[in-house]
Amino acid sequence: MPLKKEQTMTKKPLIRAFFDEPTNTVSYLVADTETKRGAVIDPVLDYNHASGKASTKSADVILAAAAAEGLTVDWVLETHAHADHLSGAPYIKLKTGAKVGIGEYIRDVQKIFRPVFNATDLKGDGSEFDHLFADGERLQLGNLNVEVLHTPGHTPADVAYKIEDAVFVGDTLFMPDYGTARADFPGGDARVLYRSIRKLLALPHATRLFICHDYKAPGRDHYAWETTVGEERAKNSHVKDGIGEDEFVAMREARDAGLSAPLLLLPSIQVNIRAGKLPPPDANGVRYLKIPVKLVA
């Protein structure tokens, strides 16, 4: 018996993008238009490094958009422990009751950075998050099918979320004219990154890819965050078809050697490995972000 038309067609999720210019981060609200069940991907907590003040302005904009669409937010999905912005996941969870999920290899990232910050409150088992996703794990977002794809290389824990015909790739790939993510953070690996990218680019050419960051490539005067597998394969300046693994690794490692650390690296990592929570308060009730200091010759 032939399938009905609606069974053969890929559902189109509702997708709303929210760009945070101070951190060049794109967060997403994704939902099933039929059931009104949704998820927030990579939300940002607004943090002023100079003053130490934080606010939930960006997260509130996303929550207002969800409310305007009549959506119930079931999940906050993190693509990895970001090194360039603090996560707004705990606030979204507080306001909606959503579960916070990330790839299961966050345990490796926690073990790398736990001693760096003397974060003795961290168990190192990922239990700060509500759910740890395995490669290939599937879940439902209303009537939408979600598949988790492990895409290490930028960090050991990176994942992409394939939601019907759309894939939210985190920091693994950028727009075709900007290239690819760095791979020089602890646990990163340019060769592993190349293989993760080819895994994504093996998807059908029409698959939509949604990027987590954009910095305006030279010659482009506007921010952009949506492309396709076909466009990346044809035009990506670092990893288009015809660029082999060794060539990519040589380029990526040379490029990474000249990059400076992200401005918010130290505060971001110690918050985000805690699922976006601030470190425990000291005896005076104040929470402090630590800055490890090393004297170099």
Side-chain angles (χ1 to χ4, degrees):
M1 182 176 180
L3 293 174
K4 295 180 181 179
K5 183 179 181 181
E6 61 267 26
Q7 292 176 297
T8 62
M9 294 178 61
T10 299
K11 300 180 181 69
K12 289 283 187 181
L14 178 151
I15 300 172
R16 299 282 184 269
F18 302 84
F19 186 71
D20 179 60
E21 191 162 2
T23 63
N24 297 91
T25 302
V26 193
S27 304
Y28 295 97
L29 175 65
V30 187
D32 173 28
T33 56
E34 296 173 351
T35 64
K36 301 291 186 179
R37 315 301 293 197
V40 176
I41 301 176
D42 292 333
V44 172
L45 179 72
D46 303 280
Y47 172 71
N48 185 307
H49 196 42
S51 68
K53 294 180 179 179
S55 79
T56 59
K57 180 179 178 181
S58 293
D60 282 328
V61 171
I62 298 174
L63 290 173
E69 296 281 356
L71 305 178
T72 298
V73 178
D74 292 327
W75 284 96
V76 179
L77 301 175
E78 298 280 17
T79 55
H80 63 295
H82 306 272
D84 40 32
H85 69 269
L86 279 65
S87 172
Y91 182 71
I92 301 286
K93 178 179 177 177
L94 175 68
K95 291 296 185 179
T96 66
K99 294 180 181 180
V100 180
I102 198 168
E104 64 178 332
Y105 289 94
I106 188 63
R107 301 183 187 104
D108 293 351
V109 178
Q110 289 180 329
K111 290 172 184 175
I112 290 170
F113 286 103
R114 185 178 188 270
V116 173
F117 298 106
N118 194 30
T120 55
D121 59 295
L122 269 179
K123 296 178 182 178
D125 61 0
S127 58
E128 291 76 14
F129 296 83
D130 296 309
H131 189 82
L132 303 183
F133 292 110
D135 183 36
E137 186 169 345
R138 297 175 184 270
L139 63 148
Q140 293 295 126
L141 192 62
N143 292 328
L144 299 175
N145 298 304
V146 183
E147 182 181 2
V148 181
L149 305 173
H150 184 215
T151 54
H154 176 60
T155 79
D158 279 62
V159 295
Y161 297 100
K162 183 179 183 299
I163 305 178
E164 298 295 345
D165 74 325
V167 183
F168 299 85
V169 300
D171 287 10
T172 299
L173 269 173
F174 295 139
M175 293 299 289
D177 57 359
Y178 201 87
T180 59
R182 65 194 297 168
D184 60 329
F185 293 144
D189 187 306
R191 196 167 296 279
V192 173
L193 177 63
Y194 179 87
R195 294 171 187 176
S196 292
I197 291 170
R198 297 314 304 182
K199 177 179 177 178
L200 292 173
L201 298 187
L203 294 168
H205 280 223
T207 303
R208 297 183 292 165
L209 302 180
F210 290 86
I211 311 301
C212 187
H213 292 286
D214 189 58
Y215 305 92
K216 292 182 181 177
R220 173 159 54 85
D221 62 0
H222 63 281
Y223 293 111
W225 45 77
E226 181 179 351
T227 181
T228 66
V229 166
E231 289 173 345
E232 293 281 10
R233 292 186 63 164
K235 301 177 182 178
N236 188 283
S237 58
H238 294 171
V239 74
K240 64 186 176 184
D241 286 357
I243 295 178
E245 184 173 315
D246 289 343
E247 181 183 355
F248 172 82
V249 170
M251 177 281 301
R252 188 69 265 173
E253 290 181 347
R255 186 179 178 89
D256 289 347
L259 295 178
S260 58
L263 174 64
L264 297 182
L265 172 67
L266 295 175
S268 295
I269 288 294
Q270 59 190 297
V271 168
N272 295 340
I273 59 176
R274 293 179 168 97
K277 303 178 184 72
L278 295 172
D282 276 12
N284 62 359
V286 179
R287 299 174 188 270
Y288 294 91
L289 295 171
K290 297 179 179 179
I291 306 297
V293 178
K294 293 182 180 180
L295 293 177
V296 295

